[in-house]
Amino acid sequence: SYSQQAGTVCAILSADCMPIVLAASDASCVVLLHAGWRGLAAGIVQKSLAVIRSKQARDIEFYAWLGPAIGAQVFEVGAEVRAEFMKQDAGLACAFKEYRQQRYLCDLYLLARRILAAADVNQVFGGEHCTYSEQDRFFSYRRASRTGRIATLAYLK
């Protein structure tokens, strides 16, 4: 979701995937990304920033906020997920902790921070919540037996 218009609300829905809000330092645009591991692996951050930067008249700094997502202590993935990120950047190995045979605990927040830093977004906030563990605060698709979502909204004043 993307806007350059003041007052236009951007929205995305997530459950355990991470919402990322990108805001231009000059308040010229705001962007919301739905960034689970598949989106991060597919380059949603890099591709979105490339499109946004191509629309800007000059080079602008971006800030990022990482919304509630499943935490590193419970987000279990297979070796194929880790391998997908290793194809892109071996340095992303730091976001995976071996859990058991061919299974890893994945830190989505760390993946996003490293990807954002590589895309020259160095002002990153948020990233301290776990939708699965903080059951009194957040819905988690993996924890609940029903369907629900978390809405992330952002707009320019």
Side-chain angles (χ1 to χ4, degrees):
S1 186
Y2 169 83
S3 179
Q4 291 182 292
Q5 293 280 84
T8 299
V9 178
C10 295
I12 60 167
L13 299 175
S14 59
D16 290 309
C17 292
M18 177 178 31
I20 299 177
V21 178
L22 297 171
S25 60
D26 68 351
S28 61
C29 70
V30 65
V31 183
L32 270 66
L33 305 175
H34 181 273
W37 78 261
R38 285 180 180 86
L40 289 174
I44 190 169
V45 170
Q46 303 92 319
K47 291 174 184 175
S48 297
L49 283 166
V51 169
I52 296 160
R53 286 176 171 147
S54 74
K55 296 176 184 287
Q56 301 294 328
R58 62 193 196 299
D59 196 22
I60 295 170
E61 183 178 0
F62 281 86
Y63 303 115
W65 176 77
L66 309 179
I70 192 163
Q73 69 279 12
V74 292
F75 185 35
E76 186 179 335
V77 298
E80 72 284 357
V81 173
R82 183 179 181 274
E84 190 66 32
F85 285 98
M86 296 306 95
K87 282 191 262 180
Q88 296 175 32
D89 178 0
L92 295 176
C94 64
F96 296 89
K97 179 181 174 187
E98 193 165 356
Y99 181 59
R100 55 184 176 184
Q101 190 173 27
Q102 298 297 303
R103 303 297 293 174
Y104 295 86
L105 292 176
C106 174
D107 189 336
L108 280 178
Y109 290 129
L110 183 54
L111 283 173
R113 287 180 186 283
R114 302 256 331 193
I115 290 167
L116 285 160
D120 294 324
V121 178
N122 298 306
Q123 299 267 359
V124 181
F125 306 92
E128 66 274 352
H129 293 290
C130 175
T131 53
Y132 187 91
S133 300
E134 296 176 54
Q135 59 188 350
D136 292 342
R137 295 184 77 185
F138 303 109
F139 172 80
S140 170
Y141 179 78
R142 286 172 179 79
R143 184 187 66 239
S145 59
R146 65 192 193 294
T147 298
R149 296 291 181 264
I150 299 168
T152 302
L153 309 169
Y155 65 95
L156 299 171
K157 281 184 146 181

